[in-house]
Amino acid sequence: MRIDLHTHSAASDGTLSPAALVRAAAGSGLDVVALTDHDTTAGWSEAVAVLPAGLTLVRGAELSCVWWPARDQPPISLHLLAYLFDPDEPRLKAERDRVRHGRIGRARRMVELMVADGYPVSWDDVVAEANGAPIGRPHVARALIKAGIVSTMDEAFTPAFIGTGGRYRVAKPDTDVFDGIALVRAAGGVPVFAHPMAAKRGRVVPDTAYAELADAGLGGIEADHADHEPQTRQKIRAIAAELGLFVTGSSDFHGANKQVAIGAETTDPEAYERLVAQASGVAPVRG
Ligand code: AMP
Ligand code: ZN
Ligand code: FE
Ligand code: FE
């Protein structure tokens, strides 16, 4: 069984349509793939409609959250994967809507700051890149490439532009992670901490936070991810074992927006079974 529990389609900031993504998943020999677009379930129906025979789809999303070290210190960003939740549950739905809306104002502000410094990028370029999806920094980055301001995605994600601590990076109004965990559980879903120790993305939560997150209802932690070194993966496994959490592995595939191939990292079937056993929102769909 080959199981990849974290991918993005063009319904958020990946480059493959949901239909092309499930075809790519089947083509790369996966048995199970999760579609986890940022803050949206908009790609689910298309993926279900064309699901290749033999492939199982886990419907999910990746929610943008924050963890507060203390109220007088700046929050730390983190991503919460949410699996098999009821997409119509009103409170989680309202929170996804709020965060997506916040993404618009924040991306507009990033463009304004770059325009004020004389860069030839426009809001319309960014909107065209997003094509209706929740607007993320990868859409801004692609607009910067098309305008000839940078030559690669990686260059856009440096401190000179919109990377971690970047001159033109503006924060989003993300969900408090404890609220996020509670909302996902209340919608019958299973919350998993995505790439928790991906230090190149910015500050990460301290080791002491994991017990609090587990107490709040976290189900699992993503260990095998391209942004984690082998030692980091071992450390995450140890934390998960101590707290009774399952461990996942996944590609975090974004199509041509990133280098990682679909299925590049996978989850043990036993961990997948634990995830499914905890879910009561929607079921995996078998193609
Ligand atoms: P946002 O959610 O709008 O803050 O954008 C974050 C997204 O940018 C995440 O999905 C990352 O995977 C993506 N990202 C971060 N660094 C890079 C990079 N160097 N190249 C491409 N995408 C990146
Ligand atoms: Zn992304
Ligand atoms: Fe993420
Ligand atoms: Fe992701």
Side-chain angles (χ1 to χ4, degrees):
M1 283 263 281
R2 295 190 67 239
I3 303 164
D4 184 346
L5 288 181
H6 181 171
T7 69
H8 298 270
S9 75
S12 67
D13 58 1
T15 56
L16 297 189
S17 66
L21 186 144
V22 291
R23 281 196 294 271
S28 74
L30 286 171
D31 301 288
V32 179
V33 69
L35 178 62
T36 53
D37 280 309
H38 296 280
D39 308 309
T40 183
T41 59
W44 286 12
S45 57
E46 181 182 316
V48 170
V50 300
L51 198 60
L55 181 68
T56 295
L57 177 71
V58 172
R59 289 168 283 178
E62 185 174 21
L63 309 177
S64 307
C65 296
V66 286
W67 182 86
W68 291 86
R71 288 288 149 186
D72 57 353
Q73 286 171 38
I76 294 174
S77 298
L78 78 168
H79 289 172
L80 195 66
L81 290 158
Y83 297 105
L84 301 171
F85 57 88
D86 173 1
D88 298 320
E89 193 285 319
R91 290 193 309 142
L92 180 56
K93 191 175 186 176
E95 185 60 9
R96 288 196 302 278
D97 291 347
R98 187 189 72 83
V99 172
R100 283 205 308 275
H101 190 77
R103 284 176 167 281
I104 299 171
R106 164 279 191 147
R108 262 187 186 278
R109 183 78 193 126
M110 290 194 280
V111 170
E112 279 168 13
L113 291 170
M114 289 186 277
V115 168
D117 276 358
Y119 288 112
V121 61
S122 78
W123 176 239
D124 287 350
D125 298 341
V126 174
V127 169
E129 288 297 331
N131 193 24
I135 299 182
R137 281 180 288 159
H139 303 120
V140 178
R142 292 187 81 88
L144 292 177
I145 293 172
K146 287 211 178 136
I149 298 165
V150 298
S151 44
T152 63
M153 293 291 283
D154 281 344
E155 190 184 349
F157 277 93
T158 56
F161 291 96
I162 58 170
T164 305
R167 187 176 171 83
Y168 304 108
R169 178 185 175 271
V170 176
K172 319 188 282 305
D174 295 334
T175 309
D176 183 288
V177 66
F178 294 100
D179 294 338
I181 290 170
L183 287 168
V184 171
R185 287 289 187 188
V190 183
V192 172
F193 193 165
H195 47 73
M197 297 190 191
K200 73 163 197 186
R201 294 170 182 239
R203 289 179 309 148
V204 299
V205 304
D207 295 352
T208 50
Y210 290 87
E212 291 171 36
L213 295 167
D215 283 349
L218 189 70
I221 318 183
E222 194 177 60
D224 293 318
H225 184 285
D227 292 354
H228 291 155
E229 299 296 332
Q231 276 182 343
T232 305
R233 298 176 187 206
Q234 279 313 115
K235 184 175 164 181
I236 294 169
R237 285 199 161 75
I239 291 172
E242 194 180 313
L243 297 173
L245 303 170
F246 59 80
V247 158
T248 66
S250 35
S251 64
D252 201 356
F253 176 70
H254 278 73
N257 275 345
K258 279 196 180 176
Q259 310 295 321
V260 184
I262 197 164
E265 306 274 1
T266 55
T267 297
D268 284 344
E270 193 198 327
Y272 172 62
E273 279 164 26
R274 285 175 67 186
L275 188 164
V276 173
Q278 291 181 24
S280 60
V282 294
V285 185
R286 178 88 208 245

mmCIF file with all atom_site columns, all heavy atoms in Angstrom, residues 4 8 26 46 57 65 71 73 76 85 104 140 162 173 177-178 192 222 248 259 277:
data_model
loop_
_atom_site.group_PDB
_atom_site.id
_atom_site.type_symbol
_atom_site.label_atom_id
_atom_site.label_alt_id
_atom_site.label_comp_id
_atom_site.label_asym_id
_atom_site.label_entity_id
_atom_site.label_seq_id
_atom_site.pdbx_PDB_ins_code
_atom_site.Cartn_x
_atom_site.Cartn_y
_atom_site.Cartn_z
_atom_site.occupancy
_atom_site.B_iso_or_equiv
_atom_site.pdbx_formal_charge
_atom_site.auth_seq_id
_atom_site.auth_comp_id
_atom_site.auth_asym_id
_atom_site.auth_atom_id
_atom_site.pdbx_PDB_model_num
ATOM 1   N N   . ASP A 1 4   ? -0.120  8.611  0.167   1.00 0.00 ? 4   ASP A N   1
ATOM 2   C CA  . ASP A 1 4   ? 0.422   9.981  0.246   1.00 0.00 ? 4   ASP A CA  1
ATOM 3   C C   . ASP A 1 4   ? -0.688  10.879 0.793   1.00 0.00 ? 4   ASP A C   1
ATOM 4   O O   . ASP A 1 4   ? -1.730  11.056 0.151   1.00 0.00 ? 4   ASP A O   1
ATOM 5   C CB  . ASP A 1 4   ? 0.858   10.432 -1.163  1.00 0.00 ? 4   ASP A CB  1
ATOM 6   C CG  . ASP A 1 4   ? 1.523   11.813 -1.173  1.00 0.00 ? 4   ASP A CG  1
ATOM 7   O OD1 . ASP A 1 4   ? 1.420   12.552 -0.167  1.00 0.00 ? 4   ASP A OD1 1
ATOM 8   O OD2 . ASP A 1 4   ? 2.131   12.155 -2.208  1.00 0.00 ? 4   ASP A OD2 1
ATOM 9   N N   . HIS A 1 8   ? -1.518  19.308 -3.017  1.00 0.00 ? 8   HIS A N   1
ATOM 10  C CA  . HIS A 1 8   ? -2.236  20.537 -3.372  1.00 0.00 ? 8   HIS A CA  1
ATOM 11  C C   . HIS A 1 8   ? -2.541  20.557 -4.871  1.00 0.00 ? 8   HIS A C   1
ATOM 12  O O   . HIS A 1 8   ? -1.659  20.284 -5.692  1.00 0.00 ? 8   HIS A O   1
ATOM 13  C CB  . HIS A 1 8   ? -1.395  21.768 -3.018  1.00 0.00 ? 8   HIS A CB  1
ATOM 14  C CG  . HIS A 1 8   ? -1.103  21.889 -1.557  1.00 0.00 ? 8   HIS A CG  1
ATOM 15  N ND1 . HIS A 1 8   ? -1.927  22.574 -0.701  1.00 0.00 ? 8   HIS A ND1 1
ATOM 16  C CD2 . HIS A 1 8   ? -0.117  21.385 -0.793  1.00 0.00 ? 8   HIS A CD2 1
ATOM 17  C CE1 . HIS A 1 8   ? -1.441  22.487 0.526   1.00 0.00 ? 8   HIS A CE1 1
ATOM 18  N NE2 . HIS A 1 8   ? -0.340  21.765 0.508   1.00 0.00 ? 8   HIS A NE2 1
ATOM 19  N N   . ALA A 1 26  ? -2.552  8.044  -9.375  1.00 0.00 ? 26  ALA A N   1
ATOM 20  C CA  . ALA A 1 26  ? -2.702  6.662  -9.842  1.00 0.00 ? 26  ALA A CA  1
ATOM 21  C C   . ALA A 1 26  ? -1.508  6.280  -10.718 1.00 0.00 ? 26  ALA A C   1
ATOM 22  O O   . ALA A 1 26  ? -0.950  5.187  -10.581 1.00 0.00 ? 26  ALA A O   1
ATOM 23  C CB  . ALA A 1 26  ? -4.006  6.509  -10.619 1.00 0.00 ? 26  ALA A CB  1
ATOM 24  N N   . GLU A 1 46  ? -14.503 17.550 -7.979  1.00 0.00 ? 46  GLU A N   1
ATOM 25  C CA  . GLU A 1 46  ? -13.867 17.174 -9.253  1.00 0.00 ? 46  GLU A CA  1
ATOM 26  C C   . GLU A 1 46  ? -13.004 15.917 -9.069  1.00 0.00 ? 46  GLU A C   1
ATOM 27  O O   . GLU A 1 46  ? -13.028 15.011 -9.919  1.00 0.00 ? 46  GLU A O   1
ATOM 28  C CB  . GLU A 1 46  ? -12.990 18.328 -9.764  1.00 0.00 ? 46  GLU A CB  1
ATOM 29  C CG  . GLU A 1 46  ? -12.319 18.030 -11.086 1.00 0.00 ? 46  GLU A CG  1
ATOM 30  C CD  . GLU A 1 46  ? -11.415 19.167 -11.553 1.00 0.00 ? 46  GLU A CD  1
ATOM 31  O OE1 . GLU A 1 46  ? -11.822 20.346 -11.454 1.00 0.00 ? 46  GLU A OE1 1
ATOM 32  O OE2 . GLU A 1 46  ? -10.291 18.870 -12.007 1.00 0.00 ? 46  GLU A OE2 1
ATOM 33  N N   . LEU A 1 57  ? -9.431  8.119  -2.426  1.00 0.00 ? 57  LEU A N   1
ATOM 34  C CA  . LEU A 1 57  ? -9.240  9.546  -2.149  1.00 0.00 ? 57  LEU A CA  1
ATOM 35  C C   . LEU A 1 57  ? -9.646  9.853  -0.710  1.00 0.00 ? 57  LEU A C   1
ATOM 36  O O   . LEU A 1 57  ? -10.752 9.516  -0.273  1.00 0.00 ? 57  LEU A O   1
ATOM 37  C CB  . LEU A 1 57  ? -10.111 10.386 -3.097  1.00 0.00 ? 57  LEU A CB  1
ATOM 38  C CG  . LEU A 1 57  ? -10.048 11.899 -2.856  1.00 0.00 ? 57  LEU A CG  1
ATOM 39  C CD1 . LEU A 1 57  ? -8.704  12.484 -3.283  1.00 0.00 ? 57  LEU A CD1 1
ATOM 40  C CD2 . LEU A 1 57  ? -11.188 12.615 -3.589  1.00 0.00 ? 57  LEU A CD2 1
ATOM 41  N N   . CYS A 1 65  ? -2.725  28.068 10.594  1.00 0.00 ? 65  CYS A N   1
ATOM 42  C CA  . CYS A 1 65  ? -2.955  28.335 12.020  1.00 0.00 ? 65  CYS A CA  1
ATOM 43  C C   . CYS A 1 65  ? -1.768  29.062 12.642  1.00 0.00 ? 65  CYS A C   1
ATOM 44  O O   . CYS A 1 65  ? -0.728  29.233 12.024  1.00 0.00 ? 65  CYS A O   1
ATOM 45  C CB  . CYS A 1 65  ? -3.171  27.024 12.775  1.00 0.00 ? 65  CYS A CB  1
ATOM 46  S SG  . CYS A 1 65  ? -4.654  26.127 12.278  1.00 0.00 ? 65  CYS A SG  1
ATOM 47  N N   . ARG A 1 71  ? 1.010   35.816 25.090  1.00 0.00 ? 71  ARG A N   1
ATOM 48  C CA  . ARG A 1 71  ? 0.193   36.853 24.428  1.00 0.00 ? 71  ARG A CA  1
ATOM 49  C C   . ARG A 1 71  ? 0.996   38.085 24.034  1.00 0.00 ? 71  ARG A C   1
ATOM 50  O O   . ARG A 1 71  ? 0.595   38.843 23.153  1.00 0.00 ? 71  ARG A O   1
ATOM 51  C CB  . ARG A 1 71  ? -0.990  37.258 25.322  1.00 0.00 ? 71  ARG A CB  1
ATOM 52  C CG  . ARG A 1 71  ? -2.050  36.183 25.410  1.00 0.00 ? 71  ARG A CG  1
ATOM 53  C CD  . ARG A 1 71  ? -2.849  36.036 24.104  1.00 0.00 ? 71  ARG A CD  1
ATOM 54  N NE  . ARG A 1 71  ? -3.279  34.644 23.924  1.00 0.00 ? 71  ARG A NE  1
ATOM 55  C CZ  . ARG A 1 71  ? -3.891  34.162 22.846  1.00 0.00 ? 71  ARG A CZ  1
ATOM 56  N NH1 . ARG A 1 71  ? -4.175  34.927 21.823  1.00 0.00 ? 71  ARG A NH1 1
ATOM 57  N NH2 . ARG A 1 71  ? -4.227  32.900 22.765  1.00 0.00 ? 71  ARG A NH2 1
ATOM 58  N N   . GLN A 1 73  ? 4.058   37.977 22.832  1.00 0.00 ? 73  GLN A N   1
ATOM 59  C CA  . GLN A 1 73  ? 5.074   37.631 21.830  1.00 0.00 ? 73  GLN A CA  1
ATOM 60  C C   . GLN A 1 73  ? 4.387   37.322 20.505  1.00 0.00 ? 73  GLN A C   1
ATOM 61  O O   . GLN A 1 73  ? 3.234   36.911 20.503  1.00 0.00 ? 73  GLN A O   1
ATOM 62  C CB  . GLN A 1 73  ? 5.854   36.395 22.277  1.00 0.00 ? 73  GLN A CB  1
ATOM 63  C CG  . GLN A 1 73  ? 6.848   36.684 23.403  1.00 0.00 ? 73  GLN A CG  1
ATOM 64  C CD  . GLN A 1 73  ? 7.432   35.397 23.953  1.00 0.00 ? 73  GLN A CD  1
ATOM 65  O OE1 . GLN A 1 73  ? 7.697   34.463 23.210  1.00 0.00 ? 73  GLN A OE1 1
ATOM 66  N NE2 . GLN A 1 73  ? 7.615   35.345 25.261  1.00 0.00 ? 73  GLN A NE2 1
ATOM 67  N N   . ILE A 1 76  ? 3.572   32.009 16.235  1.00 0.00 ? 76  ILE A N   1
ATOM 68  C CA  . ILE A 1 76  ? 4.326   31.151 15.317  1.00 0.00 ? 76  ILE A CA  1
ATOM 69  C C   . ILE A 1 76  ? 3.321   30.505 14.362  1.00 0.00 ? 76  ILE A C   1
ATOM 70  O O   . ILE A 1 76  ? 2.310   29.948 14.802  1.00 0.00 ? 76  ILE A O   1
ATOM 71  C CB  . ILE A 1 76  ? 5.093   30.076 16.124  1.00 0.00 ? 76  ILE A CB  1
ATOM 72  C CG1 . ILE A 1 76  ? 6.172   30.754 16.987  1.00 0.00 ? 76  ILE A CG1 1
ATOM 73  C CG2 . ILE A 1 76  ? 5.697   29.022 15.193  1.00 0.00 ? 76  ILE A CG2 1
ATOM 74  C CD1 . ILE A 1 76  ? 6.910   29.820 17.933  1.00 0.00 ? 76  ILE A CD1 1
ATOM 75  N N   . PHE A 1 85  ? -13.311 15.575 7.343   1.00 0.00 ? 85  PHE A N   1
ATOM 76  C CA  . PHE A 1 85  ? -14.292 16.373 8.093   1.00 0.00 ? 85  PHE A CA  1
ATOM 77  C C   . PHE A 1 85  ? -15.516 16.627 7.213   1.00 0.00 ? 85  PHE A C   1
ATOM 78  O O   . PHE A 1 85  ? -15.441 16.545 5.978   1.00 0.00 ? 85  PHE A O   1
ATOM 79  C CB  . PHE A 1 85  ? -13.676 17.697 8.563   1.00 0.00 ? 85  PHE A CB  1
ATOM 80  C CG  . PHE A 1 85  ? -13.115 18.538 7.436   1.00 0.00 ? 85  PHE A CG  1
ATOM 81  C CD1 . PHE A 1 85  ? -13.911 19.439 6.747   1.00 0.00 ? 85  PHE A CD1 1
ATOM 82  C CD2 . PHE A 1 85  ? -11.782 18.407 7.050   1.00 0.00 ? 85  PHE A CD2 1
ATOM 83  C CE1 . PHE A 1 85  ? -13.405 20.198 5.707   1.00 0.00 ? 85  PHE A CE1 1
ATOM 84  C CE2 . PHE A 1 85  ? -11.266 19.162 5.997   1.00 0.00 ? 85  PHE A CE2 1
ATOM 85  C CZ  . PHE A 1 85  ? -12.085 20.057 5.327   1.00 0.00 ? 85  PHE A CZ  1
ATOM 86  N N   . ILE A 1 104 ? -6.958  37.512 0.801   1.00 0.00 ? 104 ILE A N   1
ATOM 87  C CA  . ILE A 1 104 ? -7.095  38.510 -0.278  1.00 0.00 ? 104 ILE A CA  1
ATOM 88  C C   . ILE A 1 104 ? -6.468  39.832 0.161   1.00 0.00 ? 104 ILE A C   1
ATOM 89  O O   . ILE A 1 104 ? -5.615  40.391 -0.538  1.00 0.00 ? 104 ILE A O   1
ATOM 90  C CB  . ILE A 1 104 ? -8.580  38.704 -0.659  1.00 0.00 ? 104 ILE A CB  1
ATOM 91  C CG1 . ILE A 1 104 ? -9.168  37.389 -1.174  1.00 0.00 ? 104 ILE A CG1 1
ATOM 92  C CG2 . ILE A 1 104 ? -8.724  39.813 -1.703  1.00 0.00 ? 104 ILE A CG2 1
ATOM 93  C CD1 . ILE A 1 104 ? -10.677 37.417 -1.383  1.00 0.00 ? 104 ILE A CD1 1
ATOM 94  N N   . VAL A 1 140 ? 1.510   34.980 -5.906  1.00 0.00 ? 140 VAL A N   1
ATOM 95  C CA  . VAL A 1 140 ? 2.249   36.243 -5.979  1.00 0.00 ? 140 VAL A CA  1
ATOM 96  C C   . VAL A 1 140 ? 3.606   35.981 -6.633  1.00 0.00 ? 140 VAL A C   1
ATOM 97  O O   . VAL A 1 140 ? 4.057   36.735 -7.510  1.00 0.00 ? 140 VAL A O   1
ATOM 98  C CB  . VAL A 1 140 ? 2.424   36.850 -4.565  1.00 0.00 ? 140 VAL A CB  1
ATOM 99  C CG1 . VAL A 1 140 ? 3.238   38.143 -4.629  1.00 0.00 ? 140 VAL A CG1 1
ATOM 100 C CG2 . VAL A 1 140 ? 1.064   37.096 -3.898  1.00 0.00 ? 140 VAL A CG2 1
ATOM 101 N N   . ILE A 1 162 ? 9.129   37.761 -0.736  1.00 0.00 ? 162 ILE A N   1
ATOM 102 C CA  . ILE A 1 162 ? 7.998   37.322 0.095   1.00 0.00 ? 162 ILE A CA  1
ATOM 103 C C   . ILE A 1 162 ? 8.280   36.051 0.888   1.00 0.00 ? 162 ILE A C   1
ATOM 104 O O   . ILE A 1 162 ? 7.363   35.371 1.339   1.00 0.00 ? 162 ILE A O   1
ATOM 105 C CB  . ILE A 1 162 ? 6.729   37.149 -0.765  1.00 0.00 ? 162 ILE A CB  1
ATOM 106 C CG1 . ILE A 1 162 ? 6.978   36.144 -1.900  1.00 0.00 ? 162 ILE A CG1 1
ATOM 107 C CG2 . ILE A 1 162 ? 6.259   38.496 -1.312  1.00 0.00 ? 162 ILE A CG2 1
ATOM 108 C CD1 . ILE A 1 162 ? 5.705   35.752 -2.647  1.00 0.00 ? 162 ILE A CD1 1
ATOM 109 N N   . PRO A 1 173 ? -4.485  36.462 8.684   1.00 0.00 ? 173 PRO A N   1
ATOM 110 C CA  . PRO A 1 173 ? -5.225  36.330 9.944   1.00 0.00 ? 173 PRO A CA  1
ATOM 111 C C   . PRO A 1 173 ? -5.587  34.867 10.206  1.00 0.00 ? 173 PRO A C   1
ATOM 112 O O   . PRO A 1 173 ? -6.713  34.435 10.009  1.00 0.00 ? 173 PRO A O   1
ATOM 113 C CB  . PRO A 1 173 ? -6.477  37.172 9.694   1.00 0.00 ? 173 PRO A CB  1
ATOM 114 C CG  . PRO A 1 173 ? -6.695  37.060 8.218   1.00 0.00 ? 173 PRO A CG  1
ATOM 115 C CD  . PRO A 1 173 ? -5.348  36.882 7.578   1.00 0.00 ? 173 PRO A CD  1
ATOM 116 N N   . VAL A 1 177 ? -4.394  27.621 16.730  1.00 0.00 ? 177 VAL A N   1
ATOM 117 C CA  . VAL A 1 177 ? -4.340  26.169 16.469  1.00 0.00 ? 177 VAL A CA  1
ATOM 118 C C   . VAL A 1 177 ? -5.245  25.367 17.408  1.00 0.00 ? 177 VAL A C   1
ATOM 119 O O   . VAL A 1 177 ? -5.800  24.341 17.001  1.00 0.00 ? 177 VAL A O   1
ATOM 120 C CB  . VAL A 1 177 ? -2.882  25.647 16.489  1.00 0.00 ? 177 VAL A CB  1
ATOM 121 C CG1 . VAL A 1 177 ? -2.264  25.749 17.874  1.00 0.00 ? 177 VAL A CG1 1
ATOM 122 C CG2 . VAL A 1 177 ? -2.826  24.214 15.957  1.00 0.00 ? 177 VAL A CG2 1
ATOM 123 N N   . PHE A 1 178 ? -5.446  25.851 18.625  1.00 0.00 ? 178 PHE A N   1
ATOM 124 C CA  . PHE A 1 178 ? -6.325  25.113 19.540  1.00 0.00 ? 178 PHE A CA  1
ATOM 125 C C   . PHE A 1 178 ? -7.783  25.204 19.068  1.00 0.00 ? 178 PHE A C   1
ATOM 126 O O   . PHE A 1 178 ? -8.530  24.230 19.165  1.00 0.00 ? 178 PHE A O   1
ATOM 127 C CB  . PHE A 1 178 ? -6.149  25.601 20.985  1.00 0.00 ? 178 PHE A CB  1
ATOM 128 C CG  . PHE A 1 178 ? -4.775  25.273 21.521  1.00 0.00 ? 178 PHE A CG  1
ATOM 129 C CD1 . PHE A 1 178 ? -3.777  26.236 21.550  1.00 0.00 ? 178 PHE A CD1 1
ATOM 130 C CD2 . PHE A 1 178 ? -4.476  23.981 21.933  1.00 0.00 ? 178 PHE A CD2 1
ATOM 131 C CE1 . PHE A 1 178 ? -2.506  25.927 22.004  1.00 0.00 ? 178 PHE A CE1 1
ATOM 132 C CE2 . PHE A 1 178 ? -3.200  23.657 22.391  1.00 0.00 ? 178 PHE A CE2 1
ATOM 133 C CZ  . PHE A 1 178 ? -2.204  24.631 22.429  1.00 0.00 ? 178 PHE A CZ  1
ATOM 134 N N   . VAL A 1 192 ? -3.999  16.766 11.945  1.00 0.00 ? 192 VAL A N   1
ATOM 135 C CA  . VAL A 1 192 ? -2.606  16.287 11.926  1.00 0.00 ? 192 VAL A CA  1
ATOM 136 C C   . VAL A 1 192 ? -1.698  17.509 11.735  1.00 0.00 ? 192 VAL A C   1
ATOM 137 O O   . VAL A 1 192 ? -1.953  18.350 10.868  1.00 0.00 ? 192 VAL A O   1
ATOM 138 C CB  . VAL A 1 192 ? -2.397  15.266 10.786  1.00 0.00 ? 192 VAL A CB  1
ATOM 139 C CG1 . VAL A 1 192 ? -0.927  14.908 10.610  1.00 0.00 ? 192 VAL A CG1 1
ATOM 140 C CG2 . VAL A 1 192 ? -3.218  13.994 11.050  1.00 0.00 ? 192 VAL A CG2 1
ATOM 141 N N   . GLU A 1 222 ? 3.024   14.854 11.085  1.00 0.00 ? 222 GLU A N   1
ATOM 142 C CA  . GLU A 1 222 ? 3.708   14.520 9.835   1.00 0.00 ? 222 GLU A CA  1
ATOM 143 C C   . GLU A 1 222 ? 5.222   14.496 10.099  1.00 0.00 ? 222 GLU A C   1
ATOM 144 O O   . GLU A 1 222 ? 5.793   15.513 10.502  1.00 0.00 ? 222 GLU A O   1
ATOM 145 C CB  . GLU A 1 222 ? 3.366   15.600 8.796   1.00 0.00 ? 222 GLU A CB  1
ATOM 146 C CG  . GLU A 1 222 ? 3.705   15.264 7.377   1.00 0.00 ? 222 GLU A CG  1
ATOM 147 C CD  . GLU A 1 222 ? 3.242   16.377 6.433   1.00 0.00 ? 222 GLU A CD  1
ATOM 148 O OE1 . GLU A 1 222 ? 3.687   17.545 6.576   1.00 0.00 ? 222 GLU A OE1 1
ATOM 149 O OE2 . GLU A 1 222 ? 2.406   16.081 5.550   1.00 0.00 ? 222 GLU A OE2 1
ATOM 150 N N   . THR A 1 248 ? 2.638   10.458 10.097  1.00 0.00 ? 248 THR A N   1
ATOM 151 C CA  . THR A 1 248 ? 2.366   10.372 8.659   1.00 0.00 ? 248 THR A CA  1
ATOM 152 C C   . THR A 1 248 ? 3.586   10.783 7.839   1.00 0.00 ? 248 THR A C   1
ATOM 153 O O   . THR A 1 248 ? 4.529   11.377 8.369   1.00 0.00 ? 248 THR A O   1
ATOM 154 C CB  . THR A 1 248 ? 1.176   11.271 8.248   1.00 0.00 ? 248 THR A CB  1
ATOM 155 O OG1 . THR A 1 248 ? 1.548   12.641 8.445   1.00 0.00 ? 248 THR A OG1 1
ATOM 156 C CG2 . THR A 1 248 ? -0.077  10.940 9.038   1.00 0.00 ? 248 THR A CG2 1
ATOM 157 N N   . GLN A 1 259 ? 9.488   21.253 -6.291  1.00 0.00 ? 259 GLN A N   1
ATOM 158 C CA  . GLN A 1 259 ? 10.284  20.194 -6.933  1.00 0.00 ? 259 GLN A CA  1
ATOM 159 C C   . GLN A 1 259 ? 9.805   18.788 -6.566  1.00 0.00 ? 259 GLN A C   1
ATOM 160 O O   . GLN A 1 259 ? 10.130  17.838 -7.277  1.00 0.00 ? 259 GLN A O   1
ATOM 161 C CB  . GLN A 1 259 ? 11.757  20.308 -6.497  1.00 0.00 ? 259 GLN A CB  1
ATOM 162 C CG  . GLN A 1 259 ? 12.350  21.704 -6.642  1.00 0.00 ? 259 GLN A CG  1
ATOM 163 C CD  . GLN A 1 259 ? 12.419  22.154 -8.081  1.00 0.00 ? 259 GLN A CD  1
ATOM 164 O OE1 . GLN A 1 259 ? 12.723  21.360 -8.972  1.00 0.00 ? 259 GLN A OE1 1
ATOM 165 N NE2 . GLN A 1 259 ? 12.090  23.410 -8.334  1.00 0.00 ? 259 GLN A NE2 1
ATOM 166 N N   . ALA A 1 277 ? -10.010 5.446  11.392  1.00 0.00 ? 277 ALA A N   1
ATOM 167 C CA  . ALA A 1 277 ? -10.826 4.997  12.525  1.00 0.00 ? 277 ALA A CA  1
ATOM 168 C C   . ALA A 1 277 ? -11.299 6.170  13.383  1.00 0.00 ? 277 ALA A C   1
ATOM 169 O O   . ALA A 1 277 ? -12.336 6.083  14.048  1.00 0.00 ? 277 ALA A O   1
ATOM 170 C CB  . ALA A 1 277 ? -10.036 4.008  13.375  1.00 0.00 ? 277 ALA A CB  1
#
